[in-house]
Coordinates of all heavy atoms in Angstrom, one line a residue:
S99 N 160.6 162.5 -78.4 CA 161.2 162.6 -79.8 C 162.6 161.9 -79.8 O 163.1 161.6 -80.8 CB 161.3 164.1 -80.2 OG 160.1 164.7 -80.3
Y100 N 163.0 161.5 -78.6 CA 164.4 160.8 -78.5 C 164.2 159.4 -79.0 O 163.3 158.7 -78.6 CB 164.8 160.8 -77.0 CG 166.0 160.0 -76.7 CD1 167.3 160.4 -77.2 CD2 165.9 158.8 -76.0 CE1 168.4 159.6 -76.9 CE2 167.0 158.0 -75.7 CZ 168.3 158.5 -76.2 OH 169.4 157.7 -75.9
T101 N 165.1 159.0 -79.9 CA 165.1 157.7 -80.5 C 166.3 156.8 -80.2 O 166.4 155.7 -80.7 CB 164.9 157.7 -82.1 OG1 166.0 158.5 -82.6 CG2 163.6 158.4 -82.4
G102 N 167.2 157.3 -79.3 CA 168.4 156.6 -79.0 C 168.1 155.2 -78.4 O 168.9 154.3 -78.6
W103 N 167.0 155.1 -77.7 CA 166.7 153.8 -77.0 C 166.5 152.7 -78.0 O 166.7 151.5 -77.7 CB 165.4 153.9 -76.2 CG 164.2 154.3 -77.0 CD1 163.8 155.6 -77.3 CD2 163.2 153.4 -77.6 NE1 162.7 155.6 -78.1 CE2 162.3 154.2 -78.3 CE3 163.1 152.1 -77.6 CZ2 161.2 153.6 -79.0 CZ3 162.1 151.5 -78.3 CH2 161.1 152.3 -78.9
M104 N 166.2 153.0 -79.3 CA 165.9 152.0 -80.3 C 167.3 151.2 -80.6 O 167.2 150.1 -81.1 CB 165.4 152.6 -81.6 CG 164.1 153.2 -81.5 SD 163.5 153.9 -83.1 CE 162.0 154.7 -82.7
Y105 N 168.4 151.9 -80.4 CA 169.6 151.3 -80.9 C 170.5 150.8 -79.8 O 171.6 150.4 -80.0 CB 170.4 152.4 -81.7 CG 169.6 153.0 -82.8 CD1 169.0 154.3 -82.6 CD2 169.4 152.4 -84.0 CE1 168.2 154.9 -83.6 CE2 168.6 153.0 -85.0 CZ 168.1 154.2 -84.8 OH 167.3 154.8 -85.8
E106 N 169.8 150.7 -78.6 CA 170.6 150.1 -77.5 C 170.7 148.5 -77.6 O 169.8 147.9 -78.1 CB 169.9 150.4 -76.1 CG 169.7 151.8 -75.9 CD 171.0 152.5 -75.4 OE1 172.0 151.8 -75.2 OE2 171.0 153.7 -75.2
E107 N 171.8 148.0 -77.2 CA 172.0 146.5 -77.2 C 171.1 146.0 -76.1 O 170.9 146.5 -75.1 CB 173.4 146.1 -76.9 CG 174.4 146.5 -78.0 CD 175.8 146.0 -77.8 OE1 175.9 145.0 -77.0 OE2 176.8 146.6 -78.3
R108 N 170.6 144.8 -76.4 CA 169.7 144.2 -75.4 C 170.5 143.9 -74.1 O 171.5 143.3 -74.2 CB 169.1 142.8 -76.0 CG 168.1 142.2 -75.1 CD 167.4 141.0 -75.7 NE 166.5 141.5 -76.8 CZ 165.2 141.9 -76.6 NH1 164.7 142.0 -75.4 NH2 164.5 142.3 -77.6
G109 N 169.9 144.3 -73.0 CA 170.5 144.0 -71.7 C 171.5 145.1 -71.3 O 171.9 145.2 -70.2
R110 N 171.8 146.0 -72.2 CA 172.7 147.1 -71.9 C 172.1 148.4 -72.3 O 171.7 148.7 -73.4 CB 174.1 147.0 -72.6 CG 174.8 145.7 -72.3 CD 176.1 145.6 -73.2 NE 177.0 146.8 -72.9 CZ 178.2 146.9 -73.6 NH1 178.5 146.1 -74.5 NH2 178.9 148.0 -73.3
I111 N 172.0 149.3 -71.3 CA 171.4 150.6 -71.5 C 172.4 151.7 -71.2 O 173.0 151.7 -70.1 CB 170.0 150.8 -70.6 CG1 169.2 149.6 -70.8 CG2 169.4 152.1 -70.8 CD1 167.9 149.7 -70.0
S112 N 172.5 152.7 -72.1 CA 173.5 153.7 -71.9 C 173.0 154.7 -70.8 O 171.8 154.7 -70.4 CB 173.6 154.5 -73.2 OG 172.4 155.2 -73.6
T113 N 173.9 155.5 -70.3 CA 173.6 156.5 -69.3 C 172.6 157.5 -69.8 O 171.7 157.9 -69.1 CB 174.9 157.2 -68.8 OG1 175.8 156.3 -68.4 CG2 174.5 158.2 -67.7
M114 N 172.8 157.9 -71.1 CA 171.8 158.9 -71.7 C 170.4 158.3 -71.7 O 169.5 159.0 -71.3 CB 172.2 159.1 -73.1 CG 171.4 160.1 -73.9 SD 171.5 161.8 -73.2 CE 170.4 162.7 -74.3
T115 N 170.2 157.1 -72.1 CA 168.9 156.5 -72.1 C 168.4 156.3 -70.7 O 167.1 156.5 -70.5 CB 169.0 155.1 -72.9 OG1 169.4 155.3 -74.2 CG2 167.6 154.4 -72.9
R116 N 169.2 155.9 -69.7 CA 168.7 155.8 -68.3 C 168.2 157.2 -67.8 O 167.2 157.2 -67.2 CB 169.9 155.3 -67.4 CG 170.3 153.9 -67.6 CD 171.4 153.5 -66.7 NE 171.9 152.2 -67.0 CZ 171.4 151.0 -66.5 NH1 170.4 151.1 -65.8 NH2 171.9 149.9 -66.9
L117 N 168.9 158.2 -68.1 CA 168.4 159.5 -67.7 C 167.2 159.9 -68.4 O 166.2 160.5 -67.8 CB 169.5 160.6 -68.0 CG 170.8 160.6 -67.1 CD1 171.8 161.6 -67.7 CD2 170.4 160.9 -65.7
W118 N 167.1 159.6 -69.7 CA 165.9 159.9 -70.4 C 164.7 159.1 -69.9 O 163.6 159.7 -69.7 CB 166.1 159.5 -71.9 CG 164.8 159.5 -72.7 CD1 164.1 160.5 -73.2 CD2 164.1 158.2 -73.1 NE1 163.1 160.1 -74.0 CE2 163.0 158.7 -73.9 CE3 164.3 156.9 -72.9 CZ2 162.1 157.8 -74.4 CZ3 163.4 156.0 -73.4 CH2 162.3 156.4 -74.1
L119 N 164.8 157.8 -69.6 CA 163.8 157.0 -69.1 C 163.3 157.5 -67.7 O 162.1 157.6 -67.5 CB 164.4 155.5 -68.9 CG 163.3 154.5 -68.4 CD1 162.1 154.4 -69.3 CD2 164.0 153.1 -68.4
A120 N 164.2 157.9 -66.8 CA 163.9 158.4 -65.5 C 163.0 159.7 -65.6 O 162.1 159.9 -64.9 CB 165.1 158.6 -64.7
T121 N 163.5 160.6 -66.6 CA 162.8 161.8 -66.7 C 161.4 161.6 -67.3 O 160.4 162.3 -66.8 CB 163.6 162.7 -67.6 OG1 164.9 162.8 -67.3 CG2 163.0 164.2 -67.7
V122 N 161.2 160.8 -68.2 CA 159.9 160.4 -68.8 C 159.0 159.9 -67.7 O 157.8 160.2 -67.6 CB 160.0 159.4 -70.0 CG1 158.7 158.9 -70.3 CG2 160.7 160.1 -71.2
Y123 N 159.6 159.0 -66.9 CA 158.8 158.3 -65.8 C 158.4 159.4 -64.8 O 157.2 159.4 -64.3 CB 159.7 157.3 -65.1 CG 159.0 156.5 -64.0 CD1 158.1 155.4 -64.3 CD2 159.2 156.8 -62.7 CE1 157.5 154.7 -63.4 CE2 158.6 156.1 -61.7 CZ 157.7 155.1 -62.1 OH 157.1 154.3 -61.0
L124 N 159.3 160.3 -64.4 CA 158.9 161.4 -63.4 C 157.8 162.3 -64.0 O 156.9 162.7 -63.3 CB 160.1 162.2 -63.1 CG 161.1 161.5 -62.2 CD1 162.4 162.3 -62.1 CD2 160.5 161.3 -60.8
I125 N 157.9 162.8 -65.3 CA 157.0 163.7 -65.8 C 155.7 163.1 -66.3 O 154.6 163.5 -66.1 CB 157.6 164.5 -67.0 CG1 158.9 165.3 -66.5 CG2 156.6 165.4 -67.7 CD1 159.6 166.0 -67.6
G126 N 155.8 161.9 -66.9 CA 154.6 161.2 -67.4 C 153.7 160.5 -66.3 O 152.6 160.3 -66.5
G127 N 154.3 160.2 -65.2 CA 153.6 159.5 -64.1 C 153.7 158.0 -64.1 O 154.1 157.4 -65.2
K128 N 153.4 157.4 -63.0 CA 153.5 156.0 -62.9 C 152.4 155.2 -63.6 O 152.7 154.2 -64.2 CB 153.6 155.6 -61.4 CG 153.9 154.1 -61.1 CD 154.0 153.9 -59.6 CE 154.4 152.4 -59.3 NZ 154.4 152.1 -57.9
H129 N 151.2 155.7 -63.5 CA 150.1 155.0 -64.1 C 149.3 156.0 -65.0 O 148.3 156.5 -64.6 CB 149.2 154.4 -63.0 CG 149.8 153.3 -62.2 ND1 150.2 152.1 -62.8 CD2 150.2 153.3 -60.9 CE1 150.7 151.3 -61.8 NE2 150.8 152.0 -60.7
P130 N 149.8 156.2 -66.2 CA 149.1 157.2 -67.0 C 147.8 156.6 -67.5 O 147.6 155.4 -67.7 CB 150.1 157.4 -68.3 CG 150.8 156.1 -68.3 CD 151.0 155.7 -66.8
K131 N 146.8 157.5 -67.8 CA 145.5 157.2 -68.3 C 145.7 157.0 -69.9 O 146.7 157.4 -70.4 CB 144.5 158.2 -68.0 CG 144.0 158.2 -66.5 CD 142.9 159.2 -66.2 CE 142.5 159.1 -64.8 NZ 141.8 157.8 -64.5
L132 N 144.6 156.5 -70.4 CA 144.7 156.1 -71.8 C 145.1 157.3 -72.7 O 145.9 157.1 -73.7 CB 143.3 155.6 -72.3 CG 143.2 155.1 -73.8 CD1 144.1 153.9 -74.0 CD2 141.8 154.7 -74.1
Y133 N 144.6 158.5 -72.5 CA 144.8 159.7 -73.4 C 145.8 160.6 -72.7 O 145.9 161.8 -73.1 CB 143.5 160.4 -73.7 CG 142.6 159.5 -74.4 CD1 141.3 159.1 -73.8 CD2 142.9 158.9 -75.7 CE1 140.4 158.3 -74.5 CE2 142.0 158.1 -76.4 CZ 140.7 157.7 -75.7 OH 139.9 156.9 -76.4
S134 N 146.5 160.2 -71.7 CA 147.4 161.1 -70.9 C 148.5 161.7 -71.8 O 148.9 162.9 -71.6 CB 148.1 160.4 -69.8 OG 147.1 160.0 -68.8
Y135 N 149.0 160.9 -72.8 CA 150.1 161.4 -73.6 C 149.7 162.0 -74.9 O 150.5 162.5 -75.7 CB 151.0 160.2 -73.9 CG 151.8 159.6 -72.8 CD1 151.5 158.5 -72.1 CD2 152.9 160.4 -72.2 CE1 152.2 158.0 -71.1 CE2 153.7 159.9 -71.2 CZ 153.3 158.7 -70.6 OH 154.0 158.2 -69.6
Q136 N 148.4 162.0 -75.2 CA 147.9 162.4 -76.6 C 148.4 163.8 -77.0 O 148.9 164.0 -78.1 CB 146.4 162.3 -76.6 CG 145.9 161.0 -76.8 CD 146.4 160.2 -78.0 OE1 147.2 159.3 -77.8 NE2 145.9 160.5 -79.2
G137 N 148.4 164.8 -76.1 CA 148.8 166.2 -76.5 C 150.2 166.3 -76.5 O 150.7 167.3 -77.0
A138 N 151.0 165.3 -76.0 CA 152.5 165.4 -76.0 C 153.2 164.6 -76.9 O 154.4 164.5 -76.9 CB 152.9 165.1 -74.5

């Protein structure tokens, strides 16, 4: 539900977005299947 990434300048990512991205990567997995995210 986080939308802050939409407003980042190209080439510059804030600390908040970096933390968010790392957390999504850890919880979502490296290679999600087609419907892995559907319920979430």
Side-chain angles (χ1 to χ4, degrees):
S99 299
Y100 173 69
T101 58
W103 61 273
M104 295 182 184
Y105 307 100
E106 301 283 356
E107 292 182 25
R108 183 170 294 276
R110 297 179 61 186
I111 303 178
S112 66
T113 303
M114 180 68 177
T115 299
R116 289 180 188 275
L117 288 173
W118 167 79
L119 181 58
T121 310
V122 170
Y123 183 80
L124 286 172
I125 297 177
K128 187 175 182 181
H129 296 292
K131 289 185 175 291
L132 183 63
Y133 301 115
S134 293
Y135 290 107
Q136 282 305 102

